[in-house]
Amino acid sequence: MPLKPAEPIKFQGQDWWVQLHELIHGDSRVMLPQLAAAGHAGTAKVAYLDPPYNTGRTTRLGYRDFREASAWSELISEVAASCRELLRPEGSLWLHINDRQAALVRSDLNEVFGEENFIGTVSWERTRRPSYAAKHIVSTVDPILIYAKDARQLAPFTSGTTEKGKRVSLVHRGNRIQTLTFPAGSVRFGVPDGHYLAGDHSTASVAVHLTADLVVERGRNATPLRLRIPSRYSAARVLDMINEGADFSVPQLPFRPSYTSPGGRSKMVGSLWSWQLDPEMPTHEDALREQSALAADGTEPFPWAKPEGLLRRIIELATEPRELVVDPFAGSGTTAVAAVQTGRRVLAIEERGDLFESHIGPRVARAVGISTAHH
């Protein structure tokens, strides 16, 4: 029986599924405004968009990825605007795209969210085995643009905690030059006690200037330590850290102060997500392996599926358990699967009904351990 445009999919009539999750067959430009009007406005914590990239290609699944540039841009803007309506004030939108379309998408999203709510771009290294058929440069990275509904209310994206006892140098070549003052007694020294004259204490790699004479007694600075260095922290932040009881030290000459971490603080995530830096970072090769379970049943692998681990990472960074994840371009169902795996709720929409039968239904059912029957 064909699916109706607004029909939520149930598994063997289990109402709990629709109460927690909704998989909807329809056009997101139509369905998202209806969902907002029906009570979903302001309920989602994150929206993940992996739209068609308008590559002009036709896949073996019978989909031609082509629109006029203006029509494609209008699609992105309309769906993003509807997703914004569904987001909570502290929510965020993550849009996965290729580098060719990134500038156009950024312009569209600035119009929808306001440039002040642009948070940043994750660069995801998508493959371990790049194609070298390109004429000029081998493309291995996809940008993922992040926007907040309201940047003032968006919490930092963190993962894990800092290591106790790790020594972090304040001096880092390439950072902004700062003039720092460490009050008397606030720094431990591993250099001999004595009187050190102001001047240039730079090395070939890092510029360090002692801007005032320094007296070290009993392994501490008896006078203020004043430095001009390319610093990891601002002068105000250094003073705040000292007032909070931070442990600063200068283990040896030249004068390069370090900070000893007390550990246990949340670590903010970086914007480069590479399997070469993080062996657990999944790539397209992992997505193909996940698709192989469907291929074993004779189903054509979905050509643009993202790995489940990538979506789990985004969802866990942007939400807490039981919060709502929205995916207006469900495709093969990766976002829905990742949401179920991480204990989140999901609202996913897909325009092609055949994908529910061939990909989304079987994948989600496998994730929750139930039959794919629906009505």
Side-chain angles (χ1 to χ4, degrees):
M1 174 181 175
L3 296 172
K4 298 176 183 178
E7 182 181 1
I9 295 178
K10 298 182 183 181
F11 293 95
Q12 291 194 341
Q14 298 185 54
D15 290 334
W16 64 266
W17 174 265
V18 176
Q19 291 169 7
L20 295 178
H21 317 283
E22 287 190 52
L23 307 179
I24 297 175
H25 171 212
D27 186 335
S28 288
R29 290 171 293 184
V30 175
M31 302 312 306
L32 289 170
Q34 289 184 11
L35 289 164
H40 283 290
T43 64
K45 188 64 177 294
V46 68
Y48 172 79
L49 281 65
D50 187 15
Y53 294 172
N54 211 26
T55 62
R57 300 173 185 168
T58 300
T59 73
R60 291 193 298 270
L61 289 173
Y63 176 72
R64 188 183 180 208
D65 183 20
F66 175 76
R67 288 178 171 85
E68 293 294 335
S70 59
W72 185 81
S73 179
E74 184 178 353
L75 166 69
I76 300 299
S77 295
E78 285 187 25
V79 173
S82 293
C83 285
R84 185 183 183 280
E85 290 300 309
L86 295 185
L87 287 174
R88 288 157 47 174
E90 70 277 21
S92 60
L93 177 142
W94 300 55
L95 190 144
H96 200 135
I97 197 65
N98 61 15
D99 54 0
R100 184 174 295 277
Q101 298 285 34
L104 178 57
V105 168
R106 174 80 187 273
S107 176
D108 291 336
L109 294 184
N110 281 347
E111 289 292 325
V112 173
F113 284 86
E115 191 169 3
E116 69 278 8
N117 290 312
F118 174 64
I119 301 303
T121 302
V122 167
S123 296
W124 173 57
E125 191 171 16
R126 67 177 181 270
T127 180
R128 292 178 173 86
R129 297 190 294 272
S131 169
Y132 290 92
K135 293 182 179 179
H136 302 104
I137 192 169
V138 178
S139 177
T140 60
V141 174
D142 279 352
I144 305 174
L145 307 180
I146 308 171
Y147 279 79
K149 184 168 186 178
D150 183 349
R152 297 167 299 180
Q153 301 190 56
L154 182 67
F157 298 119
T158 60
S159 179
T161 56
T162 56
E163 178 184 346
K164 183 178 181 180
K166 183 177 181 180
R167 199 172 73 193
V168 180
S169 176
L170 267 66
V171 180
H172 189 272
R173 184 170 61 178
N175 284 1
R176 182 180 175 184
I177 299 294
Q178 303 275 351
T179 300
L180 306 180
T181 299
F182 298 83
S186 63
V187 181
R188 294 184 294 109
F189 283 80
V191 304
D193 287 356
H195 190 147
Y196 295 87
L197 298 178
D200 188 356
H201 292 263
S202 302
T203 66
S205 59
V206 178
V208 178
H209 289 82
L210 190 62
T211 62
D213 290 356
L214 172 69
V215 177
V216 177
E217 292 180 354
R218 298 179 181 180
R220 290 273 176 179
N221 57 319
T223 59
L225 170 63
R226 294 187 171 92
L227 292 170
R228 289 188 73 248
I229 58 173
S231 176
R232 194 179 298 270
Y233 303 115
S234 68
R237 178 59 185 146
V238 166
L239 289 177
D240 286 342
M241 293 169 74
I242 292 171
N243 291 332
E244 293 166 1
D247 179 24
F248 286 101
S249 63
V250 175
Q252 61 187 14
L253 294 176
F255 295 98
R256 296 186 181 184
S258 295
Y259 163 65
T260 302
S261 172
R265 292 186 176 181
S266 297
K267 291 193 296 186
M268 196 175 301
V269 298
S271 61
L272 177 57
W273 294 5
S274 167
W275 61 268
Q276 300 185 67
L277 300 176
D278 177 0
E280 296 186 0
M281 181 58 59
T283 64
H284 271 313
E285 288 77 24
D286 298 293
L288 289 174
R289 280 192 290 272
E290 291 159 5
Q291 290 284 307
S292 67
L294 293 171
D297 298 330
T299 300
E300 185 76 27
F302 194 80
W304 304 299
K306 302 302 184 289
E308 292 170 10
L310 176 65
L311 269 297
R312 286 196 299 269
R313 180 175 175 84
I314 291 172
I315 289 170
E316 288 175 341
L317 286 174
T319 67
E320 297 293 334
R322 301 282 296 182
E323 291 183 328
L324 180 62
V325 178
V326 172
D327 179 5
F329 301 103
S332 67
T334 303
T335 304
V337 169
V340 170
Q341 291 170 339
T342 56
R344 275 66 170 175
R345 297 180 294 127
V346 65
L347 193 163
I349 302 172
E350 173 53 46
E351 188 172 8
R352 287 187 52 173
D354 59 318
L355 290 179
F356 285 104
E357 299 283 353
S358 61
H359 291 75
I360 301 173
R363 288 189 72 188
V364 173
R366 188 179 294 113
V368 299
I370 55 179
S371 168
T372 58
H374 63 267
H375 60 258

